[in-house]
Amino acid sequence: WIVLSHLEKESKEYGDIIQMDFVDSYHNLTIKTMMIMNWMATYCQGAWYAMKIDADIFLNVRYLVDYLHDQSESSRKDFITGSVISDAVPHRDSFNKWYISEDLYPDSWYPPYVSGAAYVFSTDLARKISWASRFVRPIPLEDVYVGLCLHVLGVKPVYATTFLGFRNLFEVRRLKYERCTFAKRIIANGFNPQNLLRIWHDFQKSYFTC
Ligand SMILES: *[C@@H]1O[C@H](CO)[C@@H](O)[C@H](O)[C@H]1NC(C)=O
């Protein structure tokens, strides 16, 4: 769906695309994420937070910014938030999308990790995760891999919910679009680019109507 000439046009106009030297496949997501962490550690130390988000995810920027403003100052270090998965185990069935062999990952549990659909972290973690990755054997599951690095660092991912924990702000299930429902989430899952654009236009009205 993404046309090469569109990418070139975007890059020329805004200079906001970074290209790295590897094959960009599902299996290589961990490589991509670690390259992002390295790049961030080198060039983005002026920012407090960074976000990793998939291309098919709806993002409510205003809510995200408000949410981060409401965090205490301690969350500017060793902070990572999203939809936390805390009791996952490796899939050993080779037909499963998330299959992992016992050779590659012998343990029977995963440490807590944030769903790779979208997560937000304090930028100091980019350098720390890069460092920790030297002690963690690469596995093709990008979000689990980040979780393994966090485990080395002793950093626990934080579940992003509303004050009393009623609402998961990083909604990784597929959610039917509804303007005022989406106004109260940071992300929602399950949209192709055309749908995201259509939703975005309608969503602009949420500030005044929800
Ligand atoms: C992952 O990237 C490396 C380096 O570009 C490449 O050699 C390899 O074929 C890629 N693996 C997959 C499964 O795409």
Side-chain angles (χ1 to χ4, degrees):
W1 201 80
I2 293 174
V3 183
L4 194 57
S5 64
H6 291 176
L7 281 178
E8 270 163 9
K9 186 166 177 282
E10 169 78 18
S11 181
K12 278 207 186 90
E13 266 179 53
Y14 302 103
D16 58 353
I17 293 178
I18 297 150
Q19 195 173 27
M20 305 251 182
D21 187 15
F22 70 104
V23 177
D24 191 4
S25 62
Y26 187 73
H27 193 83
N28 268 346
L29 271 180
T30 300
I31 298 179
K32 177 154 73 179
T33 297
M34 294 320 289
M35 285 185 164
I36 292 171
M37 293 298 173
N38 276 321
W39 199 90
M40 296 239 8
T42 312
Y43 298 106
C44 304
Q45 284 310 299
W48 280 334
Y49 298 105
M51 179 177 217
K52 184 262 167 181
I53 183 165
D54 284 348
D56 57 351
I57 302 289
F58 168 85
L59 174 63
N60 182 349
V61 179
R62 189 193 315 268
Y63 201 118
L64 172 64
V65 171
D66 287 348
Y67 175 76
L68 291 174
H69 268 301
D70 289 344
Q71 299 300 312
S72 66
E73 253 177 59
S74 66
S75 75
R76 289 176 200 159
K77 274 202 161 40
D78 296 333
F79 176 75
I80 179 162
T81 190
S83 186
V84 177
I85 300 154
S86 49
D87 43 21
V89 295
H91 289 275
R92 301 303 191 191
D93 161 10
S94 58
F95 291 103
N96 192 287
K97 186 185 177 190
W98 297 288
Y99 165 72
I100 186 150
S101 71
E102 269 160 326
D103 285 344
L104 203 54
Y105 190 84
D107 280 333
S108 55
W109 56 276
Y110 287 143
Y113 64 94
V114 276
S115 161
Y119 50 86
V120 171
F121 52 98
S122 54
T123 34
D124 65 307
L125 273 185
R127 178 180 53 80
K128 293 172 184 171
I129 289 169
S130 272
W131 174 83
S133 72
R134 287 190 284 169
F135 310 104
V136 184
R137 190 169 164 198
I139 57 167
L141 309 169
E142 168 255 342
D143 43 12
V144 177
Y145 188 75
V146 171
L148 289 164
C149 293
L150 295 172
H151 187 67
V152 169
L153 296 167
V155 172
K156 282 203 178 71
V158 177
Y159 208 70
T161 60
T162 46
F163 178 54
L164 291 170
F166 293 135
R167 210 172 340 110
N168 180 11
L169 295 176
F170 285 66
E171 184 53 78
V172 288
R173 289 172 307 165
R174 278 164 194 274
L175 211 60
K176 193 170 149 25
Y177 176 70
E178 204 275 310
R179 192 191 298 160
C180 294
T181 309
F182 276 44
K184 295 182 174 63
R185 313 262 166 175
I186 294 175
I187 67 154
N189 195 353
F191 299 96
N192 62 29
Q194 290 100 316
N195 282 338
L196 277 177
L197 280 175
R198 186 175 50 76
I199 286 168
W200 188 249
H201 284 296
D202 183 80
F203 188 70
Q204 300 313 305
K205 296 176 204 145
S206 70
Y207 192 56
F208 304 103
T209 57
C210 296

